[in-house]
Amino acid sequence: RAASPYASHAVASVWEEHGWTGHAKGTTMMVAAMIDKFGSPELKEQVLKPILAGETVCSLGYSEPGSGSDVFAAQTKATPDGNGWRIDGTKMFTSGANLADYVIMLCRTNPDVAKHKGLTMFILPLKAEGITVQPVHTFQDERTNITFYDGVKVPDTWRLGEVDGGVKTMSAALELEHRGGGFSKAHHAMIKAAEVLAREIQFEGRPLIEDRGAQGRLARARAHVAISEMLGLRALWGAEEQQNLPAAGPMAKLFSSEKFLEDGSDLLDLTAPLSLSKREGAALFVNQSYRHAHGTTIYAGTSEVHRSMIAERALGLPRSRG
Ligand SMILES: Cc1cc2nc3c(=O)[nH]c(=O)nc-3n(C[C@H](O)[C@H](O)[C@H](O)COP(=O)(O)OP(=O)(O)OC[C@H]3O[C@@H](n4cnc5c(N)ncnc54)[C@H](O)[C@@H]3O)c2cc1C
């Protein structure tokens, strides 16, 4: 909890070793940073404190059925209601909402102005009356959710930032999300599982691992992990030391997710048919990693959106998104 971002990054290898997911930690710490920056004293007392005590987790309610990449097109309504607000709408892909206590929400508070202008952010307790969480099962075996908000009441003190100032608040949230991080740990774990299979599979009368071609494919994947690690560290360092590297996070995320997927496909092929059998252990792990890798190129901003960000921030090309 009091660990520096560097220490937190370093400990990720231990999490990988134990097979723990870092998802809840990542989303919760993003919400914590947002409350710290924009939250009222009440919100800090009631939500930030338990987060920092490690007692609660949070999820992200940005995407909707009609808006994902174009997050500022959110339609979930927040209307003034007494001393607070009433929330109505639907959020898509609210991952972890079935386990979390709170969700950070991007809502429309003014439908009569340009889409970027009438947005406001809130924190909602997921146990509040009027919230329904329904599972959405993905082909990567990751459960996410669709969440419905039907007349949910929230006090004004649970607002983050200014009314209709959601662009500023959300931009800060996206900045945190686009800091990189990457998927090198999951990628590395997949290679280790593929290596186990390559020792078991026989190819031309000897273990596949002894084949030069197989060695090359495993080594290439391992080299990608090393580059992902370096890009992730560079993004972390750039953000922590305020080095003005605005494309470093997107570069880390783009490279890491795309290479995870590319190597996932290659190692699934290398270790087939075992990798297709879904046999418990290494075979299932390679198979599951390949499916997991697809999601990494979509959530926290798709690869296309990240390419756009790199083009704008590092190459100075004109903005292509609305
Ligand atoms: C497993 C999973 C978990 C997720 N978890 C969460 C979560 O916890 N909270 C949350 O809020 N969201 C979450 N998401 C949503 C995720 O952030 C969105 O799926 C993502 O932003 C893409 O939005 P979309 O699905 O609406 O696709 P769209 O935005 O409709 O994109 C469709 C296609 O068009 C491309 N495209 C869109 N705009 C542009 C552009 N300007 N330039 C070039 N290409 C473009 C995209 O790259 C994509 O290929 C999750 C998604 C998945 C798959």
PDB file of all heavy atoms in Angstrom, residues 232-264:
ATOM      1  N   GLY A 232       7.994  -1.100 -20.725  1.00  0.00           N
ATOM      2  CA  GLY A 232       7.162  -0.867 -19.534  1.00  0.00           C
ATOM      3  C   GLY A 232       7.926  -0.068 -18.488  1.00  0.00           C
ATOM      4  O   GLY A 232       7.400   0.878 -17.892  1.00  0.00           O
ATOM      5  N   LEU A 233       9.189  -0.438 -18.289  1.00  0.00           N
ATOM      6  CA  LEU A 233      10.009   0.278 -17.301  1.00  0.00           C
ATOM      7  C   LEU A 233      10.246   1.722 -17.736  1.00  0.00           C
ATOM      8  O   LEU A 233      10.237   2.646 -16.926  1.00  0.00           O
ATOM      9  CB  LEU A 233      11.358  -0.437 -17.121  1.00  0.00           C
ATOM     10  CG  LEU A 233      11.302  -1.718 -16.281  1.00  0.00           C
ATOM     11  CD1 LEU A 233      12.614  -2.481 -16.378  1.00  0.00           C
ATOM     12  CD2 LEU A 233      10.992  -1.384 -14.818  1.00  0.00           C
ATOM     13  N   ARG A 234      10.432   1.900 -19.045  1.00  0.00           N
ATOM     14  CA  ARG A 234      10.663   3.254 -19.557  1.00  0.00           C
ATOM     15  C   ARG A 234       9.416   4.122 -19.330  1.00  0.00           C
ATOM     16  O   ARG A 234       9.507   5.282 -18.917  1.00  0.00           O
ATOM     17  CB  ARG A 234      10.989   3.174 -21.046  1.00  0.00           C
ATOM     18  CG  ARG A 234      11.266   4.501 -21.710  1.00  0.00           C
ATOM     19  CD  ARG A 234      11.913   4.242 -23.069  1.00  0.00           C
ATOM     20  NE  ARG A 234      11.918   5.418 -23.913  1.00  0.00           N
ATOM     21  CZ  ARG A 234      10.943   5.707 -24.777  1.00  0.00           C
ATOM     22  NH1 ARG A 234       9.899   4.924 -24.888  1.00  0.00           N
ATOM     23  NH2 ARG A 234      11.029   6.794 -25.514  1.00  0.00           N
ATOM     24  N   ALA A 235       8.230   3.523 -19.571  1.00  0.00           N
ATOM     25  CA  ALA A 235       6.988   4.275 -19.368  1.00  0.00           C
ATOM     26  C   ALA A 235       6.811   4.622 -17.891  1.00  0.00           C
ATOM     27  O   ALA A 235       6.428   5.743 -17.539  1.00  0.00           O
ATOM     28  CB  ALA A 235       5.797   3.462 -19.876  1.00  0.00           C
ATOM     29  N   LEU A 236       7.108   3.655 -17.033  1.00  0.00           N
ATOM     30  CA  LEU A 236       6.980   3.879 -15.588  1.00  0.00           C
ATOM     31  C   LEU A 236       7.939   4.981 -15.137  1.00  0.00           C
ATOM     32  O   LEU A 236       7.555   5.919 -14.433  1.00  0.00           O
ATOM     33  CB  LEU A 236       7.286   2.563 -14.850  1.00  0.00           C
ATOM     34  CG  LEU A 236       7.278   2.593 -13.330  1.00  0.00           C
ATOM     35  CD1 LEU A 236       5.883   2.895 -12.813  1.00  0.00           C
ATOM     36  CD2 LEU A 236       7.755   1.252 -12.761  1.00  0.00           C
ATOM     37  N   TRP A 237       9.178   4.866 -15.573  1.00  0.00           N
ATOM     38  CA  TRP A 237      10.200   5.865 -15.214  1.00  0.00           C
ATOM     39  C   TRP A 237       9.802   7.248 -15.748  1.00  0.00           C
ATOM     40  O   TRP A 237       9.864   8.251 -15.028  1.00  0.00           O
ATOM     41  CB  TRP A 237      11.553   5.425 -15.794  1.00  0.00           C
ATOM     42  CG  TRP A 237      12.639   6.437 -15.664  1.00  0.00           C
ATOM     43  CD1 TRP A 237      13.369   6.715 -14.552  1.00  0.00           C
ATOM     44  CD2 TRP A 237      13.124   7.306 -16.702  1.00  0.00           C
ATOM     45  NE1 TRP A 237      14.278   7.708 -14.825  1.00  0.00           N
ATOM     46  CE2 TRP A 237      14.151   8.092 -16.135  1.00  0.00           C
ATOM     47  CE3 TRP A 237      12.800   7.499 -18.044  1.00  0.00           C
ATOM     48  CZ2 TRP A 237      14.846   9.053 -16.876  1.00  0.00           C
ATOM     49  CZ3 TRP A 237      13.488   8.454 -18.778  1.00  0.00           C
ATOM     50  CH2 TRP A 237      14.495   9.213 -18.193  1.00  0.00           C
ATOM     51  N   GLY A 238       9.355   7.284 -17.004  1.00  0.00           N
ATOM     52  CA  GLY A 238       8.961   8.564 -17.611  1.00  0.00           C
ATOM     53  C   GLY A 238       7.860   9.241 -16.814  1.00  0.00           C
ATOM     54  O   GLY A 238       7.893  10.446 -16.574  1.00  0.00           O
ATOM     55  N   ALA A 239       6.872   8.429 -16.372  1.00  0.00           N
ATOM     56  CA  ALA A 239       5.747   9.004 -15.625  1.00  0.00           C
ATOM     57  C   ALA A 239       6.193   9.424 -14.227  1.00  0.00           C
ATOM     58  O   ALA A 239       5.869  10.518 -13.759  1.00  0.00           O
ATOM     59  CB  ALA A 239       4.615   7.985 -15.541  1.00  0.00           C
ATOM     60  N   GLU A 240       6.962   8.566 -13.557  1.00  0.00           N
ATOM     61  CA  GLU A 240       7.374   8.861 -12.176  1.00  0.00           C
ATOM     62  C   GLU A 240       8.336  10.039 -12.101  1.00  0.00           C
ATOM     63  O   GLU A 240       8.281  10.841 -11.183  1.00  0.00           O
ATOM     64  CB  GLU A 240       8.033   7.625 -11.543  1.00  0.00           C
ATOM     65  CG  GLU A 240       7.050   6.559 -11.131  1.00  0.00           C
ATOM     66  CD  GLU A 240       5.925   7.112 -10.277  1.00  0.00           C
ATOM     67  OE1 GLU A 240       6.215   7.723  -9.238  1.00  0.00           O
ATOM     68  OE2 GLU A 240       4.757   6.958 -10.666  1.00  0.00           O
ATOM     69  N   GLU A 241       9.227  10.135 -13.076  1.00  0.00           N
ATOM     70  CA  GLU A 241      10.249  11.188 -13.035  1.00  0.00           C
ATOM     71  C   GLU A 241       9.859  12.389 -13.898  1.00  0.00           C
ATOM     72  O   GLU A 241      10.685  13.253 -14.170  1.00  0.00           O
ATOM     73  CB  GLU A 241      11.610  10.642 -13.501  1.00  0.00           C
ATOM     74  CG  GLU A 241      12.050   9.332 -12.843  1.00  0.00           C
ATOM     75  CD  GLU A 241      12.169   9.420 -11.325  1.00  0.00           C
ATOM     76  OE1 GLU A 241      12.477  10.513 -10.819  1.00  0.00           O
ATOM     77  OE2 GLU A 241      11.922   8.394 -10.658  1.00  0.00           O
ATOM     78  N   GLN A 242       8.602  12.390 -14.359  1.00  0.00           N
ATOM     79  CA  GLN A 242       8.080  13.493 -15.182  1.00  0.00           C
ATOM     80  C   GLN A 242       9.022  13.846 -16.327  1.00  0.00           C
ATOM     81  O   GLN A 242       9.490  14.972 -16.453  1.00  0.00           O
ATOM     82  CB  GLN A 242       7.794  14.697 -14.293  1.00  0.00           C
ATOM     83  CG  GLN A 242       6.633  14.386 -13.382  1.00  0.00           C
ATOM     84  CD  GLN A 242       6.458  15.348 -12.242  1.00  0.00           C
ATOM     85  OE1 GLN A 242       7.059  16.400 -12.209  1.00  0.00           O
ATOM     86  NE2 GLN A 242       5.620  14.977 -11.309  1.00  0.00           N
ATOM     87  N   GLN A 243       9.298  12.819 -17.124  1.00  0.00           N
ATOM     88  CA  GLN A 243      10.263  12.974 -18.213  1.00  0.00           C
ATOM     89  C   GLN A 243       9.638  13.430 -19.533  1.00  0.00           C
ATOM     90  O   GLN A 243      10.308  13.445 -20.550  1.00  0.00           O
ATOM     91  CB  GLN A 243      10.990  11.643 -18.436  1.00  0.00           C
ATOM     92  CG  GLN A 243      11.950  11.290 -17.332  1.00  0.00           C
ATOM     93  CD  GLN A 243      13.082  12.296 -17.224  1.00  0.00           C
ATOM     94  OE1 GLN A 243      13.699  12.651 -18.220  1.00  0.00           O
ATOM     95  NE2 GLN A 243      13.341  12.763 -16.012  1.00  0.00           N
ATOM     96  N   ASN A 244       8.356  13.737 -19.517  1.00  0.00           N
ATOM     97  CA  ASN A 244       7.676  14.166 -20.733  1.00  0.00           C
ATOM     98  C   ASN A 244       7.878  13.176 -21.889  1.00  0.00           C
ATOM     99  O   ASN A 244       8.455  13.505 -22.924  1.00  0.00           O
ATOM    100  CB  ASN A 244       8.147  15.577 -21.142  1.00  0.00           C
ATOM    101  CG  ASN A 244       7.268  16.143 -22.248  1.00  0.00           C
ATOM    102  OD1 ASN A 244       6.112  15.728 -22.394  1.00  0.00           O
ATOM    103  ND2 ASN A 244       7.801  17.058 -23.044  1.00  0.00           N
ATOM    104  N   LEU A 245       7.431  11.951 -21.650  1.00  0.00           N
ATOM    105  CA  LEU A 245       7.469  10.912 -22.690  1.00  0.00           C
ATOM    106  C   LEU A 245       6.022  10.483 -22.947  1.00  0.00           C
ATOM    107  O   LEU A 245       5.611   9.390 -22.560  1.00  0.00           O
ATOM    108  CB  LEU A 245       8.288   9.704 -22.219  1.00  0.00           C
ATOM    109  CG  LEU A 245       9.768   9.918 -21.942  1.00  0.00           C
ATOM    110  CD1 LEU A 245      10.379   8.677 -21.297  1.00  0.00           C
ATOM    111  CD2 LEU A 245      10.503  10.249 -23.234  1.00  0.00           C
ATOM    112  N   PRO A 246       5.210  11.340 -23.563  1.00  0.00           N
ATOM    113  CA  PRO A 246       3.771  11.067 -23.634  1.00  0.00           C
ATOM    114  C   PRO A 246       3.397   9.841 -24.465  1.00  0.00           C
ATOM    115  O   PRO A 246       2.289   9.334 -24.347  1.00  0.00           O
ATOM    116  CB  PRO A 246       3.197  12.345 -24.261  1.00  0.00           C
ATOM    117  CG  PRO A 246       4.338  12.977 -24.982  1.00  0.00           C
ATOM    118  CD  PRO A 246       5.578  12.604 -24.233  1.00  0.00           C
ATOM    119  N   ALA A 247       4.313   9.358 -25.303  1.00  0.00           N
ATOM    120  CA  ALA A 247       3.972   8.166 -26.097  1.00  0.00           C
ATOM    121  C   ALA A 247       4.524   6.892 -25.469  1.00  0.00           C
ATOM    122  O   ALA A 247       4.277   5.797 -25.974  1.00  0.00           O
ATOM    123  CB  ALA A 247       4.503   8.318 -27.518  1.00  0.00           C
ATOM    124  N   ALA A 248       5.269   7.024 -24.367  1.00  0.00           N
ATOM    125  CA  ALA A 248       5.935   5.835 -23.800  1.00  0.00           C
ATOM    126  C   ALA A 248       4.923   4.798 -23.310  1.00  0.00           C
ATOM    127  O   ALA A 248       5.092   3.596 -23.556  1.00  0.00           O
ATOM    128  CB  ALA A 248       6.868   6.255 -22.667  1.00  0.00           C
ATOM    129  N   GLY A 249       3.866   5.237 -22.633  1.00  0.00           N
ATOM    130  CA  GLY A 249       2.844   4.301 -22.138  1.00  0.00           C
ATOM    131  C   GLY A 249       2.150   3.588 -23.289  1.00  0.00           C
ATOM    132  O   GLY A 249       2.088   2.352 -23.323  1.00  0.00           O
ATOM    133  N   PRO A 250       1.613   4.340 -24.269  1.00  0.00           N
ATOM    134  CA  PRO A 250       0.987   3.673 -25.416  1.00  0.00           C
ATOM    135  C   PRO A 250       1.940   2.731 -26.158  1.00  0.00           C
ATOM    136  O   PRO A 250       1.538   1.659 -26.605  1.00  0.00           O
ATOM    137  CB  PRO A 250       0.560   4.852 -26.308  1.00  0.00           C
ATOM    138  CG  PRO A 250       0.297   5.961 -25.343  1.00  0.00           C
ATOM    139  CD  PRO A 250       1.324   5.783 -24.252  1.00  0.00           C
ATOM    140  N   MET A 251       3.224   3.103 -26.274  1.00  0.00           N
ATOM    141  CA  MET A 251       4.181   2.217 -26.961  1.00  0.00           C
ATOM    142  C   MET A 251       4.330   0.904 -26.190  1.00  0.00           C
ATOM    143  O   MET A 251       4.358  -0.180 -26.776  1.00  0.00           O
ATOM    144  CB  MET A 251       5.551   2.898 -27.090  1.00  0.00           C
ATOM    145  CG  MET A 251       5.586   3.957 -28.172  1.00  0.00           C
ATOM    146  SD  MET A 251       7.055   4.993 -28.073  1.00  0.00           S
ATOM    147  CE  MET A 251       8.303   3.866 -28.638  1.00  0.00           C
ATOM    148  N   ALA A 252       4.416   1.013 -24.869  1.00  0.00           N
ATOM    149  CA  ALA A 252       4.577  -0.190 -24.042  1.00  0.00           C
ATOM    150  C   ALA A 252       3.351  -1.086 -24.167  1.00  0.00           C
ATOM    151  O   ALA A 252       3.455  -2.298 -24.354  1.00  0.00           O
ATOM    152  CB  ALA A 252       4.799   0.208 -22.583  1.00  0.00           C
ATOM    153  N   LYS A 253       2.166  -0.481 -24.092  1.00  0.00           N
ATOM    154  CA  LYS A 253       0.929  -1.279 -24.140  1.00  0.00           C
ATOM    155  C   LYS A 253       0.750  -1.912 -25.520  1.00  0.00           C
ATOM    156  O   LYS A 253       0.403  -3.090 -25.638  1.00  0.00           O
ATOM    157  CB  LYS A 253      -0.266  -0.380 -23.785  1.00  0.00           C
ATOM    158  CG  LYS A 253      -1.511  -1.131 -23.350  1.00  0.00           C
ATOM    159  CD  LYS A 253      -2.491  -1.396 -24.461  1.00  0.00           C
ATOM    160  CE  LYS A 253      -3.714  -2.159 -23.999  1.00  0.00           C
ATOM    161  NZ  LYS A 253      -4.655  -2.446 -25.083  1.00  0.00           N
ATOM    162  N   LEU A 254       0.993  -1.133 -26.562  1.00  0.00           N
ATOM    163  CA  LEU A 254       0.801  -1.631 -27.928  1.00  0.00           C
ATOM    164  C   LEU A 254       1.758  -2.788 -28.224  1.00  0.00           C
ATOM    165  O   LEU A 254       1.341  -3.863 -28.661  1.00  0.00           O
ATOM    166  CB  LEU A 254       1.026  -0.495 -28.935  1.00  0.00           C
ATOM    167  CG  LEU A 254       0.912  -0.897 -30.403  1.00  0.00           C
ATOM    168  CD1 LEU A 254      -0.519  -1.261 -30.759  1.00  0.00           C
ATOM    169  CD2 LEU A 254       1.389   0.229 -31.320  1.00  0.00           C
ATOM    170  N   PHE A 255       3.047  -2.574 -27.955  1.00  0.00           N
ATOM    171  CA  PHE A 255       4.040  -3.609 -28.266  1.00  0.00           C
ATOM    172  C   PHE A 255       3.750  -4.872 -27.458  1.00  0.00           C
ATOM    173  O   PHE A 255       3.711  -5.982 -27.988  1.00  0.00           O
ATOM    174  CB  PHE A 255       5.457  -3.099 -27.960  1.00  0.00           C
ATOM    175  CG  PHE A 255       6.526  -4.090 -28.326  1.00  0.00           C
ATOM    176  CD1 PHE A 255       7.084  -4.087 -29.597  1.00  0.00           C
ATOM    177  CD2 PHE A 255       6.967  -5.048 -27.417  1.00  0.00           C
ATOM    178  CE1 PHE A 255       8.059  -5.023 -29.956  1.00  0.00           C
ATOM    179  CE2 PHE A 255       7.933  -5.984 -27.763  1.00  0.00           C
ATOM    180  CZ  PHE A 255       8.483  -5.967 -29.036  1.00  0.00           C
ATOM    181  N   SER A 256       3.538  -4.654 -26.165  1.00  0.00           N
ATOM    182  CA  SER A 256       3.374  -5.789 -25.269  1.00  0.00           C
ATOM    183  C   SER A 256       2.151  -6.636 -25.639  1.00  0.00           C
ATOM    184  O   SER A 256       2.227  -7.869 -25.707  1.00  0.00           O
ATOM    185  CB  SER A 256       3.271  -5.235 -23.851  1.00  0.00           C
ATOM    186  OG  SER A 256       2.802  -6.183 -22.988  1.00  0.00           O
ATOM    187  N   SER A 257       1.015  -5.989 -25.912  1.00  0.00           N
ATOM    188  CA  SER A 257      -0.195  -6.765 -26.212  1.00  0.00           C
ATOM    189  C   SER A 257      -0.116  -7.415 -27.590  1.00  0.00           C
ATOM    190  O   SER A 257      -0.479  -8.577 -27.765  1.00  0.00           O
ATOM    191  CB  SER A 257      -1.439  -5.878 -26.099  1.00  0.00           C
ATOM    192  OG  SER A 257      -1.325  -4.759 -26.946  1.00  0.00           O
ATOM    193  N   GLU A 258       0.411  -6.681 -28.578  1.00  0.00           N
ATOM    194  CA  GLU A 258       0.474  -7.245 -29.933  1.00  0.00           C
ATOM    195  C   GLU A 258       1.457  -8.418 -30.001  1.00  0.00           C
ATOM    196  O   GLU A 258       1.207  -9.411 -30.675  1.00  0.00           O
ATOM    197  CB  GLU A 258       0.871  -6.158 -30.941  1.00  0.00           C
ATOM    198  CG  GLU A 258      -0.251  -5.158 -31.231  1.00  0.00           C
ATOM    199  CD  GLU A 258      -1.413  -5.769 -32.025  1.00  0.00           C
ATOM    200  OE1 GLU A 258      -1.180  -6.681 -32.831  1.00  0.00           O
ATOM    201  OE2 GLU A 258      -2.560  -5.329 -31.810  1.00  0.00           O
ATOM    202  N   LYS A 259       2.585  -8.311 -29.299  1.00  0.00           N
ATOM    203  CA  LYS A 259       3.559  -9.414 -29.325  1.00  0.00           C
ATOM    204  C   LYS A 259       3.064 -10.604 -28.506  1.00  0.00           C
ATOM    205  O   LYS A 259       3.353 -11.756 -28.830  1.00  0.00           O
ATOM    206  CB  LYS A 259       4.934  -8.941 -28.825  1.00  0.00           C
ATOM    207  CG  LYS A 259       5.605  -7.980 -29.777  1.00  0.00           C
ATOM    208  CD  LYS A 259       5.851  -8.613 -31.144  1.00  0.00           C
ATOM    209  CE  LYS A 259       6.326  -7.609 -32.161  1.00  0.00           C
ATOM    210  NZ  LYS A 259       6.350  -8.140 -33.542  1.00  0.00           N
ATOM    211  N   PHE A 260       2.330 -10.317 -27.449  1.00  0.00           N
ATOM    212  CA  PHE A 260       1.720 -11.389 -26.652  1.00  0.00           C
ATOM    213  C   PHE A 260       0.789 -12.198 -27.563  1.00  0.00           C
ATOM    214  O   PHE A 260       0.826 -13.432 -27.597  1.00  0.00           O
ATOM    215  CB  PHE A 260       0.967 -10.752 -25.479  1.00  0.00           C
ATOM    216  CG  PHE A 260       0.328 -11.699 -24.488  1.00  0.00           C
ATOM    217  CD1 PHE A 260       0.740 -13.018 -24.360  1.00  0.00           C
ATOM    218  CD2 PHE A 260      -0.688 -11.242 -23.652  1.00  0.00           C
ATOM    219  CE1 PHE A 260       0.142 -13.874 -23.423  1.00  0.00           C
ATOM    220  CE2 PHE A 260      -1.288 -12.081 -22.721  1.00  0.00           C
ATOM    221  CZ  PHE A 260      -0.874 -13.401 -22.613  1.00  0.00           C
ATOM    222  N   LEU A 261      -0.004 -11.494 -28.354  1.00  0.00           N
ATOM    223  CA  LEU A 261      -0.944 -12.177 -29.252  1.00  0.00           C
ATOM    224  C   LEU A 261      -0.199 -12.920 -30.369  1.00  0.00           C
ATOM    225  O   LEU A 261      -0.497 -14.081 -30.665  1.00  0.00           O
ATOM    226  CB  LEU A 261      -1.922 -11.145 -29.839  1.00  0.00           C
ATOM    227  CG  LEU A 261      -2.969 -11.685 -30.814  1.00  0.00           C
ATOM    228  CD1 LEU A 261      -3.794 -12.799 -30.177  1.00  0.00           C
ATOM    229  CD2 LEU A 261      -3.898 -10.557 -31.277  1.00  0.00           C
ATOM    230  N   GLU A 262       0.784 -12.248 -30.960  1.00  0.00           N
ATOM    231  CA  GLU A 262       1.541 -12.870 -32.061  1.00  0.00           C
ATOM    232  C   GLU A 262       2.250 -14.147 -31.568  1.00  0.00           C
ATOM    233  O   GLU A 262       2.174 -15.201 -32.200  1.00  0.00           O
ATOM    234  CB  GLU A 262       2.576 -11.841 -32.546  1.00  0.00           C
ATOM    235  CG  GLU A 262       3.375 -12.236 -33.758  1.00  0.00           C
ATOM    236  CD  GLU A 262       4.410 -11.141 -34.070  1.00  0.00           C
ATOM    237  OE1 GLU A 262       4.020  -9.962 -34.229  1.00  0.00           O
ATOM    238  OE2 GLU A 262       5.606 -11.474 -34.122  1.00  0.00           O
ATOM    239  N   ASP A 263       2.908 -14.046 -30.416  1.00  0.00           N
ATOM    240  CA  ASP A 263       3.619 -15.215 -29.884  1.00  0.00           C
ATOM    241  C   ASP A 263       2.634 -16.264 -29.375  1.00  0.00           C
ATOM    242  O   ASP A 263       2.915 -17.467 -29.443  1.00  0.00           O
ATOM    243  CB  ASP A 263       4.577 -14.797 -28.760  1.00  0.00           C
ATOM    244  CG  ASP A 263       5.734 -13.956 -29.300  1.00  0.00           C
ATOM    245  OD1 ASP A 263       6.093 -14.147 -30.483  1.00  0.00           O
ATOM    246  OD2 ASP A 263       6.262 -13.114 -28.555  1.00  0.00           O
ATOM    247  N   GLY A 264       1.495 -15.809 -28.872  1.00  0.00           N
ATOM    248  CA  GLY A 264       0.469 -16.760 -28.427  1.00  0.00           C
ATOM    249  C   GLY A 264       0.051 -17.642 -29.589  1.00  0.00           C
ATOM    250  O   GLY A 264      -0.042 -18.871 -29.470  1.00  0.00           O
TER     251      GLY A 264
END
